[in-house]
Amino acid sequence: MRLARPGSVQSAVRAAYAAVGGLEAAAVDLGVAVSTLSYGTELSEHRPGGIGVNYLDRLARIEPGAGVAIAEHFAALAGGVFQPVDVSGVTAADVHRLTREFSDVLMRHAEAHSSLSDDPGDYTAKEAAGQLVEVDELIAAAVSFRAILVDKSGVKA
């Protein structure tokens, strides 16, 4: 497969192919030639636009992991992030998870601003990296809880 600049749509397409087992597996799943998919990721003035969105849609329907790679790419371009959600579980358990994750964020914040920190007035790089993990877990819990509430309420949001 062709080289792709990190952060480019071609890189996202490569990640989508990897999610289904590689270029050859993607070609088999889509029922097209390997050369068609490889050619589709090339930037070309003869065929502007690269791989067709219909192929990407079909690939994501076959293997949701391929859709994750594409969703992450476009979410980043839009200034956001893509967060998959799990809508299974009991709402009460999700409230517990949400409060536990928030508690973890507060704990890391307190540690970073305590006298034990190398920089009590701010986050050190190590503290920021640790807090980022906790914030990501809180976001995942909040988005999952929201998805469950949307599902239970019948509201499409």
Side-chain angles (χ1 to χ4, degrees):
M1 183 165 348
R2 302 175 194 288
L3 294 176
R5 179 183 296 273
S8 68
V9 72
Q10 288 80 18
S11 177
V13 170
R14 287 178 65 139
Y17 293 165
V20 298
L23 182 65
E24 292 80 12
V28 169
D29 288 346
L30 293 171
V32 299
V34 170
S35 60
T36 299
L37 293 185
S38 180
Y39 174 72
T41 61
E42 176 187 23
L43 290 175
S44 170
E45 294 303 316
H46 297 96
R47 185 212 22 81
I51 191 76
V53 72
N54 290 324
Y55 282 156
L56 297 175
D57 177 77
R58 191 179 335 155
L59 199 58
R61 290 174 189 278
I62 293 167
E63 170 53 53
V68 169
I70 300 303
E72 287 172 341
H73 172 75
F74 285 109
L77 288 178
V81 296
F82 173 71
Q83 176 66 52
V85 296
D86 177 11
V87 295
S88 64
V90 179
T91 308
D94 291 305
V95 169
H96 173 73
R97 178 179 170 217
L98 188 62
T99 57
R100 185 183 68 237
E101 297 301 346
F102 184 68
S103 175
D104 292 347
V105 168
L106 290 176
M107 183 183 69
R108 288 271 184 166
H109 183 77
E111 288 171 356
H113 291 83
S114 76
S115 61
L116 299 175
S117 174
D118 290 340
D119 184 3
D122 200 358
Y123 283 88
T124 65
K126 183 179 178 182
E127 291 165 345
Q131 183 67 298
L132 187 58
V133 170
E134 298 303 336
V135 168
D136 285 347
E137 290 174 359
L138 174 62
I139 290 169
V143 172
S144 293
F145 183 51
R146 184 184 190 283
I148 290 167
L149 293 175
V150 166
D151 186 52
K152 290 184 181 298
S153 70
V155 173
K156 296 294 177 204

